[in-house]
Amino acid sequence: MRRFVPCLAALSAIVLGACGHTTSSGTGASPSAEPTPGATARAATQKLFDAKTFSNGTLVDNKFYPLVPGAQLVLEGEATRAAGRQPHRLVLTVTDLTKVINGVTTRVIWDVDTNNGVLAEAELAFHAQDDHGNVWNLGEYPEEYEAGKFKGAPSTWLTGFQKAEAGMIMPADPTKTEPPSYLQGFAPAVDFIDEAKTSKAAQATCVPAKCYDDVLVIEEWIPGKTSDGHQLKFYAPGVGNVRVDYKGGDEEESLVLASARMLTPAELATVRAEALKLDHHGYEVNTDYAQTAPAQGPPAS
């Protein structure tokens, strides 16, 4: 399952519904056959997405999913990989870059993923908030590494390319979504589909960084893939994702927030440069990515 957990700042917003879901796939075409996994949630999510409703999409002030350029979260824990249970670390930074995807100007998130101290994945994610306060994922460019060496980016998907559709990362009011579940992205060409729903609200949790109240717990899963299990992500107001737990599945990823801070201008400039390198490399690696406009930095002061 994908992991995107940006950070720091906050204002709550107005809700604009979410969606329902199915849990198993049908193989026949008869009316009694169960629909494709996630089909109901997909249809409901599709109805909510409208590229014309992102008048200021990079201003992301969702209570549980704020995106402030320079905000950085470091989550540490363990995950089961081919080599067994290993230390796992995610560094997620909200850059000051923007990128237009399917007509929507998105905020670029830089995600660096290491297993046992070795780079496993470096990813750019493209998120934006609509005028109703819902935060959307419009695509991902994840570069994969083996023993620290680049192996490719086969899981790249972008809204508007090869039937890929935007997914909702965080509803404006996740406690009042009806129907309860929604898709976080749909990209059939790379076999990507994640479904989510609110599991609990008004929770408390303590992690190395801090203790938090009014925590939201979101449950995520891949429809029709029981072996993957479910992830539970804990979101603190004004911060973002502070804990990841699991229910079943093979990966058994568990993470806690080790630190949350704002980068200095010099550190943010370094992040910007690294994210731009990844963006530029995408044009050499993926033909769909090569059709997008390059990521843009902030206006010169």
Side-chain angles (χ1 to χ4, degrees):
M1 244 171 275
R2 299 288 177 193
R3 303 165 299 276
F4 299 113
V5 278
C7 18
L8 304 173
L11 279 176
S12 81
I14 306 171
V15 69
L16 178 73
C19 5
H21 70 278
T22 57
T23 55
S24 59
S25 96
T27 55
S30 68
S32 60
E34 293 186 10
T36 301
T40 304
R42 176 193 167 202
T45 307
Q46 269 188 313
K47 287 178 67 176
L48 295 178
F49 180 77
D50 183 351
K52 296 188 294 293
T53 64
F54 292 82
S55 60
N56 194 7
T58 60
L59 177 60
V60 183
D61 56 9
N62 183 288
K63 176 180 178 179
F64 293 105
Y65 206 85
L67 299 180
V68 178
Q72 184 179 83
L73 298 182
V74 178
L75 292 100
E76 296 178 343
E78 293 183 328
T80 302
R81 300 292 189 249
R85 196 78 174 154
Q86 292 185 340
H88 186 48
R89 189 172 192 257
L90 294 176
V91 179
L92 301 114
T93 309
V94 183
T95 77
D96 56 3
L97 297 172
T98 62
K99 189 176 180 74
V100 176
I101 305 292
N102 197 40
V104 176
T105 302
T106 68
R107 177 64 61 194
V108 179
I109 315 302
W110 184 43
D111 170 1
V112 178
D113 186 340
T114 58
N115 293 326
N116 203 22
V118 179
L119 179 63
E121 186 174 277
E123 179 174 60
L124 299 180
F126 311 106
H127 296 175
Q129 182 173 297
D130 67 23
D131 297 338
H132 306 283
N134 304 297
V135 184
W136 295 83
N137 181 14
L138 282 90
E140 305 165 359
Y141 174 68
E143 292 195 345
E144 298 175 10
Y145 296 80
E146 186 176 321
K149 295 183 179 180
F150 174 70
K151 289 297 181 180
S155 297
T156 300
W157 69 273
L158 300 163
T159 299
F161 290 87
Q162 299 192 65
K163 301 182 180 180
E165 298 165 9
M168 194 183 300
I169 294 293
M170 184 65 68
D173 186 345
T175 66
K176 296 181 180 179
T177 58
E178 184 61 40
S181 76
Y182 49 92
L183 288 195
Q184 296 186 316
F186 176 68
V190 297
D191 196 26
F192 172 73
I193 180 173
D194 272 3
E195 191 165 353
K197 69 177 182 179
T198 296
S199 176
K200 297 178 181 179
Q203 300 296 296
T205 191
C206 288
V207 295
K210 190 178 177 181
C211 289
Y212 298 98
D213 295 318
D214 193 23
V215 171
L216 174 75
V217 183
I218 297 290
E219 184 172 351
E220 300 179 359
W221 66 96
I222 299 176
K225 190 176 178 183
T226 56
S227 64
D228 195 71
H230 288 219
Q231 277 192 333
L232 298 175
K233 293 184 179 178
F234 294 65
Y235 291 87
V239 181
N241 192 191
V242 299
R243 179 187 291 274
V244 178
D245 287 337
Y246 61 90
K247 294 198 309 183
D250 301 328
E251 190 171 280
E252 298 182 336
E253 182 179 54
S254 57
L255 299 166
V256 291
L257 183 66
S259 69
R261 70 187 188 97
M262 292 296 296
L263 301 182
T264 66
E267 290 171 327
L268 181 56
T270 298
V271 164
R272 183 192 312 131
E274 291 300 315
L276 282 172
K277 286 181 184 178
L278 206 57
D279 181 63
H280 294 161
H281 194 214
Y283 289 83
E284 303 173 13
V285 173
N286 185 274
T287 55
D288 289 342
Y289 202 86
Q291 298 179 61
T292 65
Q296 299 296 314
S301 56

